[in-house]
Amino acid sequence: CRDGFWQLLWTAKKCTTMMPDCVTPPMILTAWAFVGYFLGSIPFGIVVAHFMGLGDLRQIGSGNIGATNVLRTGSKLGAALTLIADAGKAGAAVILARVLATEDAAQLAGLAALFGHCYPIWLKFRGGKGVSTLFGLLFALAWPIGLAAGTTWLIIAAIFRYSSLAALMTALLTPLFVIILPHYQMLTVSIAITFLIFWRHRENIRRIISLEESKIGQK
């Protein structure tokens, strides 16, 4: 019983470590936040649509710059390229910061990349919903978390056929995955991710409730 008590106490102590040790100087952290933001703000959906002759993505479907809206043009290749690029820019931000700095900088750069995708300065802060970028961020920070998140999205999307609902459930469960797997030092950033994804999907939530949200594959 005594060993069990100390094991429980040790687990609880680890759970309170919700972020990596902040060892990077504030100015360096700020620099990495800017690097992450500007990487994340690159609108690959618009770039891909332009070079593939798919039209102005902001005038198509939902007007979103992400892979789901590129798919609405009918180009599966374009959607796949956009998904890979949007995921890759967050992954690049995390890996660069991790290699050249420390883990606290990596988490901040990745979160800033997600924010940059959602609010890019080049498009008057009107960006995407952040789902593809979210997966790149999670895979780069901890691949088991990314794998769990990607599996969740696929299952929910297959059952309910709502891309937005799959994204919302994935974001909601991500902090739980962080605790279960476990990667306790990602808990703070995972909670921030959840709030950001829900905020970006607030109109989708309204449409889901009113049964007006379009399903995957629906024209």
Side-chain angles (χ1 to χ4, degrees), residues 35-217:
V35 170
Y37 174 82
F38 283 109
L39 277 174
S41 66
I42 301 173
F44 281 112
I46 290 179
V47 174
V48 169
H50 173 75
F51 280 101
M52 294 187 67
L54 304 176
D56 186 353
L57 205 58
R58 290 165 292 182
Q59 304 299 321
I60 298 171
S62 64
N64 193 275
I65 65 170
T68 301
N69 205 39
V70 176
L71 186 61
R72 293 190 178 103
T73 67
S75 175
K76 293 181 180 179
L77 175 60
L81 291 174
T82 302
L83 189 151
I84 293 170
D86 282 345
K89 61 188 181 183
V94 171
I95 293 170
L96 280 173
R98 183 175 281 157
V99 170
L100 299 177
T102 51
E103 190 63 25
D104 56 342
Q107 288 197 15
L108 182 60
L111 184 60
L114 178 61
F115 188 84
H117 176 80
C118 295
Y119 299 100
I121 190 172
W122 325 110
L123 302 178
K124 298 180 179 179
F125 304 103
R126 298 175 182 174
K129 299 295 178 66
V131 181
S132 300
T133 312
L134 164 67
F135 292 133
L137 168 59
L138 293 178
F139 269 104
L141 286 176
W143 69 264
I145 306 295
L147 184 61
T151 303
T152 300
W153 191 95
L154 288 172
I155 291 173
I156 299 299
I159 294 173
F160 297 100
R161 308 299 297 172
Y162 287 116
S163 176
S164 55
L165 180 62
L168 289 165
M169 290 302 299
T170 299
L172 186 64
L173 291 174
T174 294
L176 183 61
F177 296 147
V178 167
I179 294 172
I180 292 173
L181 284 174
H183 287 274
Y184 301 122
Q185 291 187 337
M186 285 178 57
L187 191 54
T188 297
V189 73
S190 69
I191 293 171
I193 288 169
T194 300
F195 277 105
L196 181 57
I197 294 297
F198 266 73
W199 175 254
R200 292 298 293 162
H201 284 78
R202 59 193 185 279
E203 288 299 319
N204 300 88
I205 294 172
R206 181 191 62 78
R207 289 195 295 269
I208 290 172
I209 293 173
S210 61
L211 302 179
E212 297 174 353
E213 180 78 335
S214 57
K215 293 188 176 184
I216 297 173

Side-chain angles (χ1 to χ4, degrees), residues 22-35 101-106 108-109:
C22 192
V23 296
T24 305
M27 289 295 293
I28 303 298
L29 278 178
T30 302
W32 278 112
F34 275 104
V35 170
T102 51
E103 190 63 25
D104 56 342
L108 182 60

